[in-house]
Amino acid sequence: MTEPLHPVTGLDDVVHQRVRLGILTIAHEARRVEFVYLRTQLGLTAGNLSQHLTVLETAGLVEVEKGYEGKRGRTWITLTAAGNTALAEEIARLKQLIARVERP
């Protein structure tokens, strides 16, 4: 019988990156989040946030919707079902890692 792999092997590089994990977490909490809010909360430049959103959108974890509020252009980000699942799996792996560290 083989021993299960260490929980770190299940971490998803797309999700686990600090900024992308923050984006997914905020999008999960807010259901629909505005680009400027994300940029401010995560302390990023617009270009840097755009790059991370492109990675997440390409992976099918978020949907990016562009539109207008009045005459001002706006961008909204929504977590997809796959994004919700990926976030939940990442959190579960992180909890497994924490449990290993906190064992007496």
Side-chain angles (χ1 to χ4, degrees):
M1 185 165 148
T2 61
E3 193 171 315
L5 295 175
H6 192 277
V8 77
T9 61
L11 294 175
D12 182 335
D13 290 336
V14 171
V15 175
H16 190 72
Q17 196 280 339
R18 178 185 62 86
V19 171
R20 293 192 289 266
L21 185 57
I23 292 167
L24 293 173
T25 302
I26 292 170
H28 174 76
E29 293 171 328
R31 302 291 181 229
R32 184 176 187 231
V33 64
E34 210 270 324
F35 182 92
V36 174
Y37 180 81
L38 273 178
R39 189 187 73 209
T40 303
Q41 290 297 303
L42 297 172
L44 302 171
T45 65
N48 193 282
L49 178 55
S50 291
Q51 288 177 336
H52 287 290
L53 288 172
T54 298
V55 170
L56 292 171
E57 187 177 29
T58 300
L61 303 181
V62 297
E63 289 179 355
V64 177
E65 174 191 348
K66 295 182 183 277
Y68 287 90
E69 193 171 272
K71 292 185 178 189
R72 297 190 71 185
R74 297 277 190 223
T75 302
W76 295 276
I77 293 85
T78 307
L79 196 61
T80 64
N84 203 25
T85 299
L87 179 61
E89 289 173 356
E90 192 73 8
I91 297 299
R93 292 286 185 182
L94 291 171
K95 285 180 180 178
Q96 290 173 354
L97 287 170
I98 291 167
R100 284 176 171 240
V101 172
E102 291 181 340
R103 273 191 204 142

